[in-house]
Amino acid sequence: MHISEGILSAPVLLSGGIIAAIGTYIGLKKIDLEQVMPVALLSSAFFVAGLVHVPLGPGSVHLMLIGLLGVMLGWAAFPAILIALFLQALFFQFGGFAVLGVNTVTMATPALCCYYLTRSWMNNPKTRPAAAFLAGFLAILLASLLTACALALTDTGFTTAAQLIIAANVPVMIIEGSITMFTVGFLAKVQPEILHLNYA
Amino acid sequence: MNRSRILTALLFAVLFSFFTLPAEAHKLNVFCWAGDTEVYGEVFFSGGRKAKNVVVHVQDAKTHTLLLTTRTDEEGKFQFVPPQQAVQQKQGLLITVETGDGHRGEWPLAADEYLLTESVPPPTEQLPIKESATASVDMETVRVIVQVIVRQELERELLPIKRELAEAREKKISSRDILGGIGCIIGLAGLLAWLQANKKKKKRSTDG
């Protein structure tokens, strides 16, 4: 889902940077002392998940865990994803520094949306697994659409880009849905307070 | 307390289990090497998947003017004859590949990398073998023939090596990079926690 350097036009890069900066500012404001470590752990998980390739479907894709980050972190997903993306660009040459803002927005916004969308269902143990699966699934779908939007705003056609990205990411949606479902289920049993952090 | 310890251990176990997986960046990798008369290249995604049927642009490295376009085959490979214009002006080439879904890769090919072999006449040149075989052997002809044969043999032997050298030029991710990244994140978390603890302390001292 990382857009490479040298594709997007300057206005898109700039607006991505501004939105990412605002999101990160709000996210940082919402992190307090107890929540620092969960944010760092999930940021690390995101950082490493990019190396796990999903050898299914037509394209080359990898895990992102953005649904899980959204559900667990809310607004704090912005700084978590920004830092992980920065380090991925630095160490793995994923994406790039100029596209950091846009890539943060395309991945952190879906995380935030999933947080708000599924929050009310998360509290009910009956709907929790479905809500978690949906969060993991939807986050990738939204991120694909946003990536296609960013590409379309430059010059690539939206439909072609969207089709390519979504088709490649269908296996990831299902895998991430399952991962989010099981992780949330496990955390709800072992460490319920981590899921009910009041970030919003 | 015990629970959170178990949880942290589990999360770390998950993180570290990723190290056993092949570590490659998620990007479009392009690499090229020059043969005798043609430039060869391969395009693949991280994880090893070949980029089939994608457009390859060959640009002048300095001015970025498009010199020629080609496509990768079913195995993600492509080859092209360096454009006449570039050969004459000894331009460096920049080979770029875009897949349309946001992936882009490029590979610079310096002029002397592909011009090296151009200085010698290409092997397709008509050689006066028949005449020289019957008549007394002209030393110049022998020299040319030997040169061509040696070049062809060297090319055959060296191409795989050139390919590997080109491939090795691409940065690969090591476990050092992964650990470095995780270390950075934990360090940043520590910094944030320290700042917040300081703030709390100050607040407490002003309150009390």
Side-chain angles (χ1 to χ4, degrees):
Chain A
M1 207 78 75
H2 301 69
I3 301 176
S4 304
E5 213 136 15
I7 293 181
L8 298 178
S9 64
V12 182
L13 291 175
L14 200 68
S15 21
I18 294 169
I19 301 172
I22 297 170
T24 308
Y25 179 76
I26 301 174
L28 281 174
K29 282 270 158 202
K30 292 194 187 270
I31 302 174
D32 68 23
L33 201 51
E34 281 103 67
Q35 289 133 14
V36 170
M37 258 355 250
V39 173
L41 270 175
L42 281 163
S43 184
S44 308
F46 178 92
F47 172 71
V48 183
L51 297 174
V52 183
H53 289 278
V54 179
L56 300 166
S60 168
V61 284
H62 56 84
L63 294 186
M64 277 164 278
L65 305 178
I66 39 186
L68 184 65
L69 261 85
V71 168
M72 289 182 66
L73 302 178
W75 278 97
F78 262 94
I81 287 176
L82 174 72
I83 287 167
L85 280 176
F86 174 83
L87 293 168
Q88 282 182 340
L90 183 71
F91 288 114
F92 309 158
Q93 291 86 47
F94 271 46
F97 296 113
V99 271
L100 201 58
V102 176
N103 281 336
T104 306
V105 172
T106 56
M107 288 186 247
T109 319
L112 192 64
C113 290
C114 288
Y115 170 70
Y116 282 117
L117 274 176
T118 59
R119 198 165 43 147
S120 51
W121 299 340
M122 278 290 171
N123 292 323
N124 185 346
K126 274 184 190 160
T127 52
R128 194 180 292 136
F133 183 87
L134 202 68
F137 188 93
L138 266 184
I140 305 291
L141 185 64
L142 283 174
S144 306
L145 286 172
L146 277 176
T147 308
C149 272
L151 290 171
L153 282 171
T154 304
D155 59 359
T156 333
F158 175 77
T159 9
T160 7
Q163 275 170 353
L164 271 173
I165 300 169
I166 292 175
N169 278 295
V170 167
V172 182
M173 291 176 205
I174 296 163
I175 294 171
E176 296 230 337
S178 317
I179 290 179
T180 313
M181 187 170 76
F182 286 117
T183 314
V184 166
F186 171 74
L187 288 174
K189 267 188 219 150
V190 181
Q191 189 90 1
E193 56 273 29
I194 208 170
L195 288 172
H196 301 291
L197 302 171
N198 280 325
Y199 283 114
Chain B
M1 195 60 209
N2 220 2
R3 266 183 181 175
S4 62
R5 260 190 215 156
I6 294 169
L7 180 75
T8 318
L10 264 172
L11 275 175
F12 269 102
V14 172
L15 281 182
F16 283 98
S17 67
F18 290 150
F19 293 143
T20 52
L21 291 158
E24 278 164 87
H26 182 75
K27 57 173 185 175
L28 194 61
N29 298 285
V30 186
F31 64 98
C32 289
W33 64 99
D36 203 12
T37 48
E38 283 185 288
V39 173
Y40 302 86
E42 277 180 37
V43 188
F44 59 95
F45 289 104
S46 42
R49 190 167 284 213
K50 310 284 182 205
K52 297 170 195 166
N53 246 325
V54 291
V55 184
V56 180
H57 294 291
V58 181
Q59 299 172 327
D60 173 11
K62 268 186 196 151
T63 56
H64 291 273
T65 38
L66 189 65
L67 297 173
L68 68 90
T69 342
T70 176
R71 268 180 177 278
T72 60
D73 61 11
E74 284 299 299
E75 288 182 329
K77 290 179 182 163
F78 64 91
Q79 62 192 72
F80 62 89
V81 181
Q84 213 56 51
Q85 186 199 342
V87 174
Q88 278 161 6
Q89 295 175 10
K90 298 197 166 135
Q91 293 166 324
L93 298 178
L94 183 73
I95 291 110
T96 58
V97 183
E98 268 183 46
T99 54
D101 61 350
H103 287 110
R104 183 178 184 276
E106 57 177 44
W107 180 268
L109 194 70
D112 46 358
E113 273 183 74
Y114 73 93
L115 287 177
L116 201 65
T117 47
E118 299 289 333
S119 52
V120 194
T124 43
E125 200 174 280
Q126 279 289 321
L127 294 169
I129 296 171
K130 273 184 187 166
E131 294 151 41
S132 57
T134 49
S136 62
V137 186
D138 172 11
M139 275 318 281
E140 183 57 26
T141 320
V142 173
R143 201 182 66 82
V144 172
I145 295 170
V146 170
Q147 207 174 36
V148 167
I149 293 170
V150 168
R151 272 183 61 201
Q152 279 172 341
E153 282 305 298
L154 269 181
E155 158 108 358
R156 202 171 55 82
E157 300 261 319
L158 282 179
L159 263 187
I161 298 171
K162 280 186 182 172
R163 185 194 166 279
E164 288 211 352
L165 275 178
E167 198 181 4
R169 221 207 278 173
E170 280 288 278
K171 276 189 197 160
K172 294 232 165 70
I173 300 171
S174 65
S175 51
R176 223 189 310 173
D177 295 324
I178 303 170
L179 282 176
I182 294 173
C184 283
I185 294 171
I186 294 174
L188 280 171
L191 188 72
L192 195 64
W194 177 68
L195 285 174
Q196 285 186 346
N198 259 3
K199 223 188 259 172
K200 253 189 190 171
K201 230 188 239 170
K202 261 186 201 163
K203 215 179 175 186
R204 218 176 290 155
S205 62
T206 48
D207 288 348

